[in-house]
Amino acid sequence: MKRKNLFLILITMVLGVLLTIPVSASELSFGVEANLPENQVDKGVSMCQVFLGAL
């Protein structure tokens, strides 16, 4: 039973590798821009470094 399961897994893996269809995206162009809050300490970086003020 273990040999049969191992054989089926092996055949599935081999067929999965051999029967793959290559795909590609043509001209995929997008951009990302950070929305910085008004209280951003350093406007030159996009990490969260904000001044919360006196509490």
Side-chain angles (χ1 to χ4, degrees), residues 36-51:
L36 300 176
E38 293 296 324
N39 56 349
Q40 179 80 20
V41 174
D42 186 3
K43 301 282 186 191
V45 296
S46 61
M47 63 182 182
C48 280
Q49 184 180 9
V50 296
F51 178 70

Side-chain angles (χ1 to χ4, degrees), residues 16-36:
V17 170
L18 293 177
L19 299 177
T20 56
I21 301 170
V23 296
S24 64
S26 61
E27 303 215 16
L28 180 65
S29 59
F30 61 91
V32 177
E33 186 176 322
N35 295 326
L36 300 176

Side-chain angles (χ1 to χ4, degrees), residues 3-25:
R3 284 185 85 114
K4 185 177 179 182
N5 288 341
L6 183 63
F7 180 73
L8 288 174
I9 291 171
L10 183 64
I11 291 296
T12 304
M13 289 174 56
V14 169
L15 288 176
V17 170
L18 293 177
L19 299 177
T20 56
I21 301 170
V23 296
S24 64

